[in-house]
Amino acid sequence: MQRKAARAATAVRRVLPGIAMLTALATAGLTGCTSSGGDRTVSDAKAGGSPAPAPAGKYRSLPSPCKAPEIKRLKAMLPTPDSLTEEQREKLYAGAADTSYDGDRHVGCRWAAGTPSETRLLYVGFERVVSYDRATASDDDRARQVYVRQLTDAKLPFPGPTTSPSPSASASTSASAGPGPSASASASAGASAGTSTSPAPSGSPSGSPAPVLGSRVLEDLGDEAFLDDKLGAAGASAAQARSVRIVFRASNVIVTVEYSVQPSAAGTVPPSTETQDAARELAQALSERFGG
């Protein structure tokens, strides 16, 4: 009996290490599966987290608006009387900067020149738009919202730019088909805003009024742009002033050019084409400074 008991105890001692090893392996396997599942859960949580914020806008600062236009262009847009001294001309073309409490966000500059026949005013402004929540909108998105708001205030169509018609093309279209619904609507909008939108025929006899192109969306200027042309009300003793404003967006910067001409003689109307061309040429030069 004692021998049988000893043999049984020996057999148990031989089996126990194997059972212990199997138990340890099973436990390690379960732990590994749990850990792996936990890692996948963490990864899945990270994958479903908040989206990465949009990158900052292209422009982080603004150029000096008083130095943005070339002196040669300023002299062409702002003629001065011969009575001015050279020092007075230099001061005039240096411009007067607007008061700004944040030169990296909003800056502007103004010029004024007068001759016996007319007075001309020029303004150039830069506004850098910043999104305070780039997780929902980028700087460019916010800048486009600012641009669209100004476009809407100017009572111009949205969305999308349209080709600016040339005087000859508009005249031939009007002669062949007459004004369509869209042309009538534009004319009504222009009239309510104090602008002229109906171009005269290109074949007008000499001495007739020059063709007038009213407010419209522009192409090939920055990312998007529009022109707002306003003519002051006619008066018996007051001359009509014409003011052309061009606004365009370059990434997250809004650029504004305002050019006004007011003749001294009553009954004189500043030409639309000449005033708009001068403003557009300056706007194009500024666009190129922003890489447009």
Side-chain angles (χ1 to χ4, degrees):
M1 291 294 293
Q2 292 179 351
R3 290 181 180 178
K4 290 183 179 180
R7 290 175 183 173
T10 301
V12 169
R13 284 197 298 271
R14 289 177 180 176
V15 171
L16 284 177
I19 295 175
M21 183 177 293
L22 290 174
T23 303
L25 289 175
T27 303
L30 290 174
T31 303
C33 292
T34 304
S35 175
S36 177
D39 291 343
R40 284 197 298 271
T41 303
V42 172
S43 300
D44 292 343
K46 291 182 178 179
S50 301
K58 181 178 180 181
Y59 301 103
R60 307 291 183 88
S61 61
L62 295 172
S64 170
C66 292
K67 297 180 179 179
E70 297 178 351
I71 294 295
K72 182 179 180 180
R73 189 179 304 279
L74 288 175
K75 291 181 177 180
M77 298 179 71
L78 303 165
T80 58
D82 297 335
S83 58
L84 290 186
T85 65
E86 189 63 28
E87 183 179 353
Q88 290 173 324
R89 286 192 176 89
E90 289 180 0
K91 183 178 180 180
L92 186 152
Y93 292 129
D98 287 351
T99 301
S100 176
Y101 298 99
D102 190 348
D104 286 335
R105 291 293 304 277
H106 198 290
V107 291
C109 190
R110 301 176 188 276
W111 296 262
T115 64
S117 60
E118 63 185 9
T119 299
R120 299 193 181 197
L121 306 175
L122 176 65
Y123 169 78
V124 172
F126 303 136
E127 179 182 0
R128 186 173 67 91
V129 183
V130 175
S131 173
Y132 292 102
D133 185 6
R134 292 207 302 270
T136 58
S138 66
D139 291 351
D140 283 22
D141 293 334
R142 295 301 185 198
R144 191 162 196 269
Q145 292 175 4
V146 174
Y147 168 82
V148 169
R149 185 164 59 248
Q150 296 192 37
L151 179 73
T152 304
D153 292 343
K155 298 181 175 61
L156 288 175
F158 178 83
T162 57
T163 303
S164 302
S166 62
S168 58
S170 299
S172 60
T173 302
S174 299
S176 60
S182 58
S184 300
S186 300
S188 299
S192 62
T195 62
S196 299
T197 55
S198 300
S202 59
S204 301
S206 177
S208 62
V212 176
L213 290 176
S215 303
R216 61 198 184 278
V217 175
L218 300 175
E219 288 187 338
D220 303 323
L221 180 61
D223 295 317
E224 46 197 345
F226 70 86
L227 181 151
D228 188 16
D229 187 337
K230 293 185 181 298
L231 185 62
S237 59
Q240 288 182 274
R242 182 179 296 279
S243 179
V244 173
R245 179 171 63 108
I246 295 178
V247 177
F248 71 87
R249 181 178 68 85
S251 186
N252 61 315
V253 172
I254 304 295
V255 180
T256 302
V257 174
E258 293 184 18
Y259 185 43
S260 301
V261 180
Q262 180 170 359
S264 302
T268 305
V269 180
S272 171
T273 303
E274 177 184 329
T275 310
Q276 290 189 19
D277 286 350
R280 287 191 67 173
E281 289 172 4
L282 174 56
Q284 185 63 50
L286 295 176
S287 175
E288 292 172 0
R289 288 179 63 97
F290 283 95

